[in-house]
Amino acid sequence: MTGILVAAGLSLLVSLLIMPLVIRVLFRFKFGQEVRDDGPEGHKTKQGTPTMGGIVIIVGAIIGYFASHLVLMTRPTVSGLLVMFLFVGMGAVGFLDDFIKIYKRRSLGLRSGAKMLGQTVVGVGFAVGVTQFPNGYGYTPASPQLSFLRDFGPPLLLVVFVAWALFLIVGFSNAVNLTDGLDGLATGAMILSLVAYVIIGNWQLRQSCVAYLAPSCYPVRDPLDLAVVAAACLGGCIGFLWYNAPPAKIFMGDTGSLALGGLIVGLAITTRTQLLLLVIGGLFVLVTMSVMVQISSFRLTGKRIFRMAPLQHHFELKGWAETTIVIRFWIIQGLLVGVGIGLFYLEWMPR
C-alpha cells in the first residue's frame, strides 16, 4: 500500500509542478491544437491551445513508478515494466502523430498505415512479452487465455493471443482518442478506470495464490506492482486534469490518449480481466460504438443516427453546454466502473 501512495503522490506532484512550464514552452514554440474544419463551431475558439500534454502524464507516471521502488528499495517487476513499456511506447506513437499535425499545420498527423504500424510493433512486443518470464511459481505476466474476472477456457495459440491483445490495444487506444474531444472528458473517465485497477491489483495481492493457496486465489504474477503502475498513472492524470478542466489550458493530444488507451489494456491483460475492461472502460466503448453506428448507418442507408459522431459532439449540437456533457459522461463512467468493481467482487460475496 505504501508503494501505491508514494507512486500516486509523486506522480501528482511532478505533473502539477512541471505543467505550467510545459504550457509556456508549447505556447512559445506554437505547438497548438489544429481544429477540424468539420467540427462543432464552438471548437474553433480552441485553435492554438497547447497540445501534447500527455507528455506530462507519461513523465509523471515514470517518475512516480520508479521513485516508489527507489524509496521502498524494491525492484520493478516484469509485469510492471511491460505495462510501462506499452504505456510509453503507445505514447511515442502518439507523439509522432501530434508532432506531424503541428509541423504541417493540419488536423491529421501520421498516415493511418504508419500509425497502425507503430501501434502493431509496440503491441506485439507487449503481447509476446507477457507470455514469457515465469517467476518461481511458474506464473507469467499473463496467460494465453481469455479472461473476465479471471482466466477461462483453453489456452490460445500464441499467434491468436497476440492478435487478440493487439485488437484490444489498438481498439482502446483509438477509443480514448475518440473520447478526448471535450475539455477534461477523457482524463476524468480514465481516472475512474485507473482507480478500479488500483483496487483490483490490491485485492488480487491479498488473495494471491502465492500467499493464499485456495481454489479462488488469483495466479497473477505481480498484482501489487500493477496497482503501483495504475496509481502512478492515476496521479499523473489528476495533475493533468487540473489544467485540462474546462476551459482547458492544454490538451493531452494523441500522445496522452494512445498511451492511456494502451495502459488500461495492459492492466486488463496482466490482471487477467480482459473482458471486464469493456465495463470498466465502458464510456470509451460507448463513444467508439457511436462512431461505428454512425458510419454503418450512413453507408447502408445514407442517413445519420447522430447529428455528429463521436457521441459527445451529438449532444453539443443539441445545445448541451460542454461542462454539462463532461460531467454527465463522467457520471456514466463512474456508474460503469462501479458495476465493473461490483462484478469483480461478486464471486466473493456470501451466497
Side-chain angles (χ1 to χ4, degrees), residues 118-131:
Q119 291 174 309
T120 300
V121 170
V122 176
V124 169
F126 168 80
V128 173
V130 293
T131 63

Side-chain angles (χ1 to χ4, degrees), residues 62 151 157 161 170 174 190 196 199 267 297 312 318 320 323:
I62 290 172
D151 291 338
L157 294 174
F161 173 77
V170 173
N174 289 325
M190 183 57 62
I199 294 171
L267 290 170
S297 175
Q312 63 268 25
K318 285 192 68 174
W320 289 21
T323 51

Side-chain angles (χ1 to χ4, degrees), residues 326-347:
V326 170
I327 292 173
R328 287 178 177 173
F329 275 40
W330 283 353
I331 292 171
I332 293 170
Q333 173 68 352
L335 291 171
L336 289 168
V337 167
V339 170
I341 294 174
L343 289 171
F344 180 76
Y345 280 109
L346 190 61
E347 64 179 333

